[in-house]
Amino acid sequence: MPPRAGVSVRSDAEVRDITINKSATHPGPNPMTEEFTHNERNIRRTVLPNGLTILTEKMKHLRSVAMGMWIVAGSRHELPEVNGISHFVEHMVFKGTKSRTAQRIAREVDAIGGNLDAFTGKETICFNIKVLDEHVPVALDVLSDLIMNPVFSSDDITRERGVILEEIKMDEDNPDYLVHEIFTQNFWKDHPLGKPILGTKETVRNFERQTLFDYYGARFRGGNMIFSAAGNLEHDSFVEKVSHQFESIGAGVADGDGAPPRTRSRIALRNKKSLEQVQLCLGVPSPPIAHEQRYVTLLLNTVLGGGMSSRLFQTVREERGLAYSIYSDLNPYRDTGSLCVYAGTSSAKALQVIDLIMVEFRRMKSEALPEDELRRAKDQLKGNILLSLESSMSRMSNLARQQMYFQHFFGLQEILDNIEAVTQEQVMEMAKFLFQSESVAVTLLGRLDGLKVGRDQLVC
């Protein structure tokens, strides 16, 4: 899981270090620029009159620049009848603009050695590119053209509809992905957060040109967008270039995330005889992404199933030999989250694996972590965060997510200090909060051979 969290309260010293100035060099009626002077980070933010937020982090030791446009638009913002439209729009912008064909887009990016990509999540769409610093003007021109001038050709829609239908089939043939998807759909049943990002075969078949333009017009608006960049760049000149490219985008903010979802602790069994293994996904509700105890939850997950030294890996794989793959992970969103354990095993061993997971849940609730185990987990988590932020692309993503969920930027030392401050007692209290028998949901997928799971086997 990429690091997306930091402390939510600024120190008094940090507040004093923030300067706000009106710069006449920027186009438009005096956009506001805020400069953050963290000891180790050079982060600045400008908000344009149309609401578009521009973020930069200067990394002088690099020759690259990574930049991305982040739109607050994902599968949770979709109506049921257009489930998958965010992902469809993400695909379609690459099919051509008013001035570029899809082939020309590919050639221009390849000609500068760039890496152009995009992805859709539950709460965001991101279009991003990474290039050498000398090629920023060309890269920015291509990226902005994709976002500002898609044509959504009917012929391209027909072809891409077929591509995405094949992508859905591919995911249905991927058992570890499919078990998570079934789990999610049951866990947040009847809420958009539980719907698949790709949509369904039925919804995708119904997408037409006007459907795409309606969604694009509602979501691709200045107040709903963040343009983030990190690498060897100067903020003021970069803002001037971005402002020129995006000054015509409409102002305003799209509708929010809607009501928080209600979780369902369902037991779902799906027989699929073509699989050799039983895929198991077991989970509980967890705090949202900006929760004040997020570091406690991260450490709990690290201890439970976050690596080769984790309790689940050691107990289920190393000591018992019941699974090749077993891990736990966190899926935090703006107003909710889940902590899930995944394992692949045989039908004959599935109940034993569930029992061992429940044992570890109970242990974390009743026994304080040994000091050396907490120490290892802290060092592992800190190492993961530092290593994950060494590239310009990861810094660009980190900036955008912190703006999206916190409206505040965190120094690396600040994050490390907050990890270090977590105590054994806090981890135990979080375990008691998370691991409640009535909240446990489980999905089993595969050759079940009559396997049954009852609520009495999920006591923790």
Side-chain angles (χ1 to χ4, degrees), residues 154-295:
S154 295
D155 289 342
D156 287 333
I157 290 172
T158 300
R159 281 190 292 269
E160 202 61 26
R161 188 185 293 123
V163 170
I164 293 176
L165 288 173
E166 292 302 319
E167 187 178 0
I168 291 173
K169 294 176 188 176
M170 181 179 69
D171 285 343
E172 289 176 345
D173 287 339
N174 182 346
D176 55 348
Y177 172 88
L178 183 58
V179 73
H180 280 94
E181 191 61 54
I182 297 170
F183 175 88
T184 300
Q185 291 179 27
N186 282 285
F187 196 66
W188 287 306
K189 188 174 176 59
D190 300 326
H191 188 279
L193 199 59
K195 301 294 185 182
I197 292 171
L198 299 186
T200 67
K201 295 174 183 176
E202 292 72 25
T203 58
V204 170
R205 287 191 183 107
N206 290 327
F207 292 156
E208 300 294 346
R209 192 166 188 251
Q210 192 57 49
T211 315
L212 271 64
F213 274 119
D214 289 345
Y215 181 82
Y216 175 88
R219 284 282 159 189
F220 284 59
R221 300 161 67 179
N224 220 43
M225 304 168 80
I226 298 167
F227 197 95
S228 177
N232 189 21
L233 76 170
E234 295 294 337
H235 181 81
D236 291 337
S237 61
F238 185 76
V239 166
E240 190 169 0
K241 293 183 180 71
V242 174
S243 301
H244 175 72
Q245 298 287 356
F246 292 100
E247 61 186 353
S248 63
I249 201 161
V253 179
D255 294 337
D257 297 328
R262 184 169 68 89
T263 57
R264 312 285 183 94
S265 54
R266 298 167 66 95
I267 298 173
L269 308 179
R270 182 175 295 188
N271 201 43
K272 192 168 185 178
K273 294 183 178 180
S274 61
L275 299 181
E276 292 296 326
Q277 279 191 317
V278 169
Q279 309 293 313
L280 182 155
C281 187
L282 183 152
V284 295
S286 67
I289 196 167
H291 192 272
E292 61 182 6
Q293 295 292 308
R294 57 192 170 274
Y295 293 109

